[in-house]
């Protein structure tokens, strides 16, 4: 895999001194989930007070063996006092009770002392309500203010720490455990400053050590890069995987499928009979559909030829639309299925020389948003994941200056790894993650691009 030499250098003995002397930033080597790990949090978790915080406290012993509270009368959660208590690896702040601007100071009062007491790669989650779900305009405004706060906090955090805001609908509290197992653990290493809504959903993960056990998954474009990592991560979490890539990649595809105990299918997703071939290979149906295959054919619009335009639109957007509809129509996609579309932050921001690519990626985001309400009755969720700069063959081909800028222009000062995108896809593929649908999850280190 292509590597980021600056981060290796800046974290070496000699590099650290030199980088400090010339005043360059030192991106932290991010902690990532290692196979075999059991607990989402290895360290101390501070949970604030509040109704959603009380729900979190009920399952917190499954997340860590050390939880703290702000009060001195919470059973099994000693009071945490800044400067006296141990440093924190994870923090949950319940902002759902903030309904007036005067109450926003509680954010300052809570976080100011906490910030100095964070361990490396600490995880913060703020819980609130979606402003649109509130009738009272002052309450809605206050909850929107929490969003602004959380995004700035992400930019101020240091040493690989991250923050997200989860807006929890009434009745969706039961889905908090799945979301916090992701956002309070190293699985979300390259995600920060994001806002997601959790909606009511009846499904629950049965076994947290293999959350995708018994589920069948298809990952397109999985011979290499992000797709290969997604297939590997879904298999790690217990899914049966069908790996798909173009016939030219058959050798790598079959080798990876064999290693993962999955099946390989050499097929171009833009082929006329692609849907039919997929149905034949999935006689028992499909629970997880990951449209990851994608290409770039960059040219400014003035130089864009019809073949470059058509190839990108067809493979990146029309094929996922066609295949999704066909697999729904022919009954291959089962009820409670999870669909994930691989977008890109450039689909949100636009990018010079990529009118075809960004149109296709924005189109996927629009497709997820529009399909979510249509699929809701069948319990099917559909979301887009938007990676920022990820270290792969695709980004290795970028010109040097553009590549360096892409890598550093985010709150974590580095590019992500394919595993970071794969962990997000694996979380959205869980049965309980039906609580999230029609949304975009950026895996970009809080990139300034398209924010
Ligand atoms: P990659 O080029 O390394 O891998 C893409 C895979 O898709 C390849 O194995 C390729 O053979 C396969 N593929 C292409 N066309 C296909 C077709 N018609 N049918 C079947 N398979 C096909 O790219 P990657 O960096 O791993 O990117 C994976 C996805 O993530 C793409 O959709 C890409 O647009 C998106 N993405 C990547 C980045 C990044 O920084 N690398 C950023 C944002 C989005």
């Amino acid at each position: 895999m292509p590597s980021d030499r600056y981060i290796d250098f800046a974290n070496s003995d000699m590099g650290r001194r030199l980088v400090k002397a010339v005043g360059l930033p030192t991106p932290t080597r991010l902690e990532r989930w290692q196979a075999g790990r059991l607990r989402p949090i290895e360290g101390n978790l501070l949970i604030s007070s509040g109704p959603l915080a009380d729900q979190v406290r009920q399952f917190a012993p499954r997340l860590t063996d050390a939880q703290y509270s702000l009060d001195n009368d919470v059973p099994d959660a000693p009071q945490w006092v800044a400067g006296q208590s141990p440093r924190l690896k994870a923090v949950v702040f319940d902002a759902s009770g903030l309904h007036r601007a005067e109450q926003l100071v509680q954010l300052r009062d809570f976080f100011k002392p906490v910030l100095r007491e964070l361990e490396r790669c600490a995880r913060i989650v703020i819980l609130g309500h979606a402003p649109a779900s509130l009738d009272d305009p002052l309450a809605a405004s206050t909850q929107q203010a929490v969003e602004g706060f959380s995004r700035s906090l992400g930019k101020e955090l240091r040493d690989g720490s991250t923050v997200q805001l989860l807006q929890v609908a009434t009745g969706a509290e039961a889905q908090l455990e799945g979301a916090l197992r992701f956002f309070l653990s190293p699985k979300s290493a390259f995600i920060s400053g994001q806002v997601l809504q959790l909606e009511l959903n009846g499904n629950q993960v049965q076994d947290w050590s293999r959350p995708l056990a018994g589920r069948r998954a298809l990952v397109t474009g999985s011979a290499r890069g992000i797709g290969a990592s997604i297939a590997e991560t879904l298999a790690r979490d217990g899914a049966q995987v069908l790996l798909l890539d173009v016939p030219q990649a058959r050798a790598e595809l079959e080798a990876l499928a064999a290693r993962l105990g999955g099946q390989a299918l050499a097929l171009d997703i833009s082929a006329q009979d692609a849907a039919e071939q997929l149905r034949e290979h999935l006689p028992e149906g499909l629970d997880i559909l990951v449209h990851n295959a994608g290409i770039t054919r960059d040219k400014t619009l003035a130089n864009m030829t019809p073949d470059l335009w058509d190839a990108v639109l067809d493979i990146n957007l029309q094929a996922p639309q066609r295949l999704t509809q066909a697999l729904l129509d022919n009954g291959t996609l089962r009820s409670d299925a999870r669909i994930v579309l691989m977008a890109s932050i450039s689909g949100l921001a636009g990018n010079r020389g990529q009118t075809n690519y960004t149109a296709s990626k924005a189109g996927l985001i629009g497709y997820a948003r529009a399909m979510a309400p249509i699929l809701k009755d069948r319990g099917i969720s559909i979301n887009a994941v938007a990676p920022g700069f990820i270290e792969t063959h695709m980004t290795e081909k970028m010109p040097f200056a553009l590549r360096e800028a892409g890598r550093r222009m985010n709150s974590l000062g580095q590019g992500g790894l394919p595993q970071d995108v794969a962990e997000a896809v694996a979380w959205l593929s869980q049965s309980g993650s039906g609580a999230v649908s029609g949304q975009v999850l950026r895996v970009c280190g809080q990139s300034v691009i398209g924010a």
Side-chain angles (χ1 to χ4, degrees), residues 428-450:
L428 287 171
S429 300
Q430 292 177 5
S431 48
S433 301
V436 180
S437 192
Q439 299 184 51
V440 187
L441 176 55
R442 294 170 55 130
V443 183
C444 64
Q446 200 180 22
S447 171
V448 294
I449 297 167

Side-chain angles (χ1 to χ4, degrees), residues 221 224 226 245 268-269 292 342-343 357 361 388 390 392 394-395:
R224 67 177 196 196
I226 293 172
D245 212 298
D268 187 324
I269 53 166
N292 163 78
M342 198 53 67
Y357 182 77
K361 295 301 187 184
I390 305 295
T392 64
M394 194 179 255
T395 45

Side-chain angles (χ1 to χ4, degrees), residues 217-222 226-227 230 234 244 269 274-275 278 286 288-295 314-328 333 338-344 361 364 367-368 382-385 387 421 425 429:
L218 165 66
V219 186
T220 69
S222 46
I226 293 172
I230 294 171
L234 298 183
L244 177 152
I269 53 166
L278 280 176
L286 186 63
I288 299 166
L289 169 57
V290 185
H291 286 296
N292 163 78
I295 59 167
D314 192 36
I315 291 169
N316 292 8
L317 180 59
Q318 285 159 263
Q321 290 173 345
R322 267 195 314 269
L323 293 179
T324 303
Q325 196 57 54
L327 294 174
L328 285 165
L333 268 170
R338 303 280 165 261
I339 304 171
V340 182
L341 305 159
M342 198 53 67
S344 164
K361 295 301 187 184
L364 289 176
Y367 188 60
I382 178 165
N383 292 288
V385 167
V421 183
V425 173
S429 300

